[in-house]
Amino acid sequence: MMDPMPSDIFQVGQVLNNTYEIKGVLGRGGTGEVYLAVNQITERLSAIKALNARFSGNADYLELMKREEQMRSIMHDAVVRYSECSRTDDGHVFLVMDYVEGPALSDLMFERRLSDRELLIVAHRVLSGLEATHAQGIVHRDLSPDNIILRGGEAERATIIDFGIAKDTAAGARTIVGKSFAGKYEYAAPEQLDGHADFRTDLYALGASLLAVARREVPDVGSNPGDVMRSKKKPLDVTGIAPPLADLISLLSAPDPKDRPATALAAKDRLDGWLKPQTHAHKVARGGRGTGLVKPALAVALLAALGGGAYVFGAFDALFPPALPQAAPYTLSASAGPEGDTLTGNVPDAASADLLRAAYAGATGEAPPPNALTLATGLPDPEWPAHVADLITLMEPLAEWQIDISDTDVTLAGLAPDAPTRDALDASLRNWTGRSAMQLHSDILAGPENLATGALEPVLATRATCGPLTITGAENGVFGMFDPVTITGDLAAPGDMEAVKQALTPMTGERALRIEATVLNSDLCAIRAVMPKGVGAGAVSIWLGRGEAGETVLSGIYHTGENPVVDVQLPASFIDASLWVMVVDNTGKVFNILPNINQTDHRAGDLGVVENGMRRVRVLWPPKALQDDPSRLAIEVDAENYGKSEIIAILSKTSLFDLRRPRDESVGSLADALKQTLRGREADIIGVASRIIDARP
């Protein structure tokens, strides 16, 4: 029930006609409300439908109330009982009826899928109720899932009600009240749109309601009168609905009234005939014509003996024997992974069950329980078991996977060990979809679930063209499923970066791969290749600045006309150490700038100035500084020296070379000299520092 509101027509505790005590609000709409009340005399529960005062004087709405009140004479268990229609002193018209406790089909259809068996029972029950109302000349005109209540949630106790006025503004329940039409567009028969309604109108509404509940969606008939008119001229689409339910829906909802049964009794007789053992589901279950059939006359007599309103589950079983249940939809679920392997679902026969169990055992290495699959009719396609077995077989390379199938709709999720396996499986799945004509929704992730840096390092080492490449981003040496993998370092050429990416991509799976390496050139990389391994900068560093202002340049980027200024920094305590500084140019030359022809000293204690415990040795100066000392070196960026150069500073315990190197020499010459002089002297090297100078236009 809903919470009371001050604006409600009636209040909790109010007594109507000295008899009906209001207990709560069941529903509200734009025209009125529905209340739960108790008869203070009989203590029976009632439902009271009340019109707002402004509608209580409207002839169209009063006509609907009077039409319901006329049903008071109908005594049938499948039809709600009406007691009286009255008016309060303040002008509110209200209608009293039995309170039917249970869910409406409109609510139940979104909570769970009703089986075909349940819907056929509901159909038989509603047809029995319509037979009784039609016998009194009453056409419901507004039959829909929200006007069919299952007492106690049981299909065999379906009851027709009419809460249309209380629900006329609810989403998906547009009850139109007027001189020419009363009903809901979604379930209304085509002739109702022209103002015509007879017994066959209710049959159409029942067929449309059964289809909506079977599909678990409100029919889409368009958003304007033109769309509605065009929609109603077409037969309802029962694709995917199994017989005999599909046959019943098509029969009841034929667009032309002449093609529908003339009465609810005639429709019920057709339904009884379909439920005999010779046809539809039972025929599939037994593989042919049955024996000991219930004859039509006997079936009708049986129903008569039960009473139209007492059509119980056991009686339905007599016409629809459950030798083999019908599955709607036809389902199968299979999975494999760390949480265990499962296989459940429907199969049409023992041979199909063996086929699926064998496919599952091949894909997982585990045989499923013998009772994992349930025999049922309703197979959407004769080749369905074979197609499903093929799909399960394709799962064998996956580390873990889950398949859920409903008729021909397939949802697949899985984890492949790597990207190539995932890509190959995607191709196989496209081929399978084309062969099976089933609808596949696939989400295959590329693993592995955990990726160790140790698996990447050997591959990365073979792609390193300018010194070692470093892997970052792993936690304790392991990348999680979606952790990004970052590669840093230097490479000799732009194509080397793509080579690294291609080598690692198949291994990283769903992880984002970021190559954040710096592309240098072959000359710089040739010198780096002979530098002592395992020796870092230590206490040595290189500062880059710009021109006279001496502003720091962290990026190392300089443009045309700018003047790079370079200091080598080291602790003042290093006095007897030897400092060698060189520039590997982008022209294929190496310039030895310390010591040089004008500055032959390379003993640290004889170089630079000391400030705050640090020694700063300037090796490249602003151009104006050359006026004070012509032995100093300065450079300026111009169009002839665009590209990357590298400043390298090597601090060693003893002199790096026995003789001063020439002012400039080839990269190959210096590389050979460094290789020879550093051989066996790794312990003599205190630190190696370097910075890139990137000259751009």
Side-chain angles (χ1 to χ4, degrees):
M1 286 190 292
M2 300 181 176
D3 293 332
M5 298 176 62
S7 59
D8 288 340
I9 298 172
F10 304 137
Q11 299 299 314
V12 175
Q14 183 176 349
V15 179
L16 306 181
N17 287 2
N18 297 316
T19 303
Y20 303 103
E21 180 183 351
I22 301 298
K23 291 296 185 182
V25 183
L26 296 175
R28 295 189 183 93
T31 59
E33 292 148 11
V34 179
Y35 296 87
L36 177 65
V38 62
N39 187 311
Q40 291 184 328
I41 301 172
T42 64
E43 297 184 351
R44 292 185 60 181
L45 292 176
S46 297
I48 292 182
K49 179 190 297 183
L51 277 178
N52 288 329
R54 65 181 184 279
F55 295 108
S56 293
N58 185 300
D60 292 328
Y61 288 95
L62 286 176
E63 177 62 29
L64 284 178
M65 297 289 271
K66 288 165 61 178
R67 175 166 60 86
E68 287 191 82
E69 198 273 338
Q70 292 170 5
M71 297 178 66
R72 183 171 53 181
S73 60
I74 298 174
M75 306 288 289
H76 194 285
D77 192 51
V79 180
V80 66
R81 292 279 305 279
Y82 289 84
S83 303
E84 63 176 290
C85 188
S86 186
R87 190 192 304 267
T88 65
D89 293 339
D90 50 2
H92 294 290
V93 174
F94 66 91
L95 189 66
V96 182
M97 66 196 81
D98 283 353
Y99 172 59
V100 182
E101 187 172 7
L105 280 182
S106 58
D107 295 329
L108 202 58
M109 65 189 276
F110 294 112
E111 295 177 3
R112 66 177 180 89
R113 185 179 297 278
L114 275 73
S115 67
D116 285 12
R117 179 185 181 85
E118 290 175 291
L119 290 177
L120 290 170
I121 293 174
V122 169
H124 199 288
R125 172 85 168 176
V126 171
L127 286 171
S128 297
L130 291 177
E131 182 184 353
T133 60
H134 292 172
Q136 299 294 321
I138 296 173
V139 179
H140 192 289
R141 296 198 301 167
D142 194 18
L143 193 64
S144 60
D146 57 337
N147 286 335
I148 300 173
I149 303 292
L150 305 190
R151 291 182 188 264
E154 300 174 3
E156 57 270 25
R157 299 183 65 198
T159 304
I160 305 169
I161 65 167
D162 187 4
F163 281 15
I165 292 176
K167 293 190 175 182
D168 66 328
T169 60
R174 297 175 288 172
T175 298
I176 307 301
V177 180
K179 294 181 180 179
S180 60
F181 176 69
K184 299 178 182 68
Y185 283 135
E186 291 84 356
Y187 306 100
E191 63 271 16
Q192 279 183 273
L193 304 180
D194 296 325
H196 304 297
D198 60 16
F199 303 144
R200 295 169 296 184
T201 301
D202 287 345
L203 300 186
Y204 182 98
L206 174 59
S209 297
L210 292 172
L211 180 61
V213 177
R215 293 206 186 284
R216 303 185 70 186
E217 60 184 13
V218 176
D220 181 8
V221 295
S223 57
N224 59 68
D227 290 341
V228 175
M229 294 293 290
R230 285 188 290 273
S231 173
K232 293 298 179 179
K233 292 179 180 179
K234 302 176 183 178
L236 297 185
D237 181 8
V238 294
T239 303
I241 307 298
L245 180 59
D247 297 334
L248 177 63
I249 293 171
S250 297
L251 175 71
L252 296 177
S253 61
D256 190 337
K258 296 192 298 294
D259 295 332
R260 301 174 214 152
T263 65
L265 176 61
K268 190 173 66 172
D269 286 345
R270 289 288 297 274
L271 175 58
D272 289 342
W274 278 326
L275 298 180
K276 292 179 184 179
Q278 296 105 314
T279 55
H280 291 301
H282 189 63
K283 184 175 181 179
V284 175
R286 299 197 176 196
R289 189 179 299 275
T291 60
L293 306 180
V294 179
K295 299 185 180 300
L298 177 58
V300 174
L302 175 60
L303 293 175
L306 289 169
Y311 190 76
V312 296
F313 199 80
F316 195 87
D317 282 345
L319 294 175
F320 193 18
L324 197 61
Q326 178 161 327
Y330 216 71
T331 63
L332 183 136
S333 293
S335 64
E339 297 182 1
D341 303 339
T342 60
L343 175 66
T344 60
N346 306 124
V347 287
D349 48 49
S352 297
D354 291 341
L355 176 67
L356 291 171
R357 281 197 292 264
Y360 184 82
T364 64
E366 298 289 338
N371 60 346
L373 300 170
T374 303
L375 295 177
T377 61
L379 193 67
D381 182 283
E383 297 299 317
W384 191 88
H387 292 321
V388 174
D390 289 345
L391 178 61
I392 292 176
T393 300
L394 293 176
M395 299 299 102
E396 192 273 335
L398 298 187
E400 54 185 280
W401 51 272
Q402 171 76 45
I403 295 174
D404 292 294
I405 304 176
S406 177
D407 287 335
T408 58
D409 192 76
V410 182
T411 300
L412 167 62
L415 176 63
D418 49 46
T421 302
R422 186 267 315 277
D423 296 341
L425 179 58
D426 283 343
S428 298
L429 290 173
R430 287 193 294 271
N431 182 273
W432 177 85
T433 302
R435 288 185 285 107
S436 67
M438 297 176 78
Q439 299 297 317
L440 176 63
H441 311 278
S442 176
D443 185 15
I444 305 296
L445 299 178
E449 186 172 1
N450 294 300
L451 175 63
T453 56
L456 302 177
E457 287 167 350
V459 176
L460 204 57
T462 64
R463 300 299 190 279
T465 59
C466 192
L469 295 172
T470 303
I471 305 170
T472 63
E475 184 175 348
N476 297 322
V478 176
F479 291 99
M481 186 62 197
F482 296 101
D483 293 343
V485 178
T486 302
I487 306 299
T488 60
D490 299 308
L491 293 168
D496 298 341
M497 188 173 296
E498 183 61 27
V500 171
K501 184 177 181 180
Q502 291 183 358
L504 296 185
T505 295
M507 306 175 66
T508 53
E510 300 298 328
R511 300 165 182 85
L513 178 59
R514 302 168 181 167
I515 310 297
E516 297 180 356
T518 301
V519 177
L520 301 177
N521 56 56
S522 57
D523 291 334
L524 299 183
C525 295
I527 298 300
R528 289 192 173 198
V530 298
M531 285 296 174
K533 303 296 185 293
V535 178
V540 186
S541 65
I542 295 176
W543 173 87
L544 298 182
R546 182 183 290 113
E548 292 291 339
E551 59 192 49
T552 301
V553 180
L554 295 177
S555 66
I557 297 174
Y558 296 87
H559 298 282
T560 303
E562 292 183 338
N563 164 228
V565 176
V566 179
D567 289 349
V568 178
Q569 303 177 128
L570 62 154
S573 57
F574 289 103
I575 296 175
D576 294 325
S578 176
L579 179 63
W580 293 72
V581 182
M582 63 200 73
V583 174
V584 183
D585 202 350
N586 56 1
T587 62
K589 290 185 177 182
V590 177
F591 294 89
N592 294 293
I593 59 177
L594 187 72
N596 61 54
I597 191 170
N598 296 315
Q599 174 62 58
T600 58
D601 292 335
H602 54 84
R603 177 177 174 273
D606 298 330
L607 303 172
V609 295
V610 175
E611 296 176 355
N612 299 321
M614 291 295 295
R615 185 179 302 277
R616 297 174 65 92
V617 181
R618 179 149 295 182
V619 293
L620 289 180
W621 298 75
K624 289 185 178 181
L626 273 60
Q627 298 175 2
D628 300 330
D629 186 351
S631 66
R632 294 170 178 171
L633 299 177
I635 61 174
E636 184 177 279
V637 176
D638 58 30
E640 295 182 359
N641 59 13
Y642 293 150
K644 292 185 175 71
S645 301
E646 186 171 22
I647 302 280
I648 301 174
I650 302 175
L651 185 67
S652 55
K653 296 177 182 178
T654 60
S655 178
L656 188 64
F657 294 103
D658 294 334
L659 299 174
R660 180 176 59 82
R661 306 296 301 174
R663 184 182 69 87
D664 61 85
E665 60 184 311
S666 68
V667 168
S669 173
L670 179 64
D672 289 341
L674 280 172
K675 186 176 182 180
Q676 292 179 17
T677 193
L678 291 173
R679 184 180 295 120
R681 293 181 60 191
E682 288 81 2
D684 198 35
I685 305 300
I686 299 172
V688 178
S690 65
R691 289 290 300 274
I692 296 294
I693 294 179
D694 189 355
R696 302 181 181 182

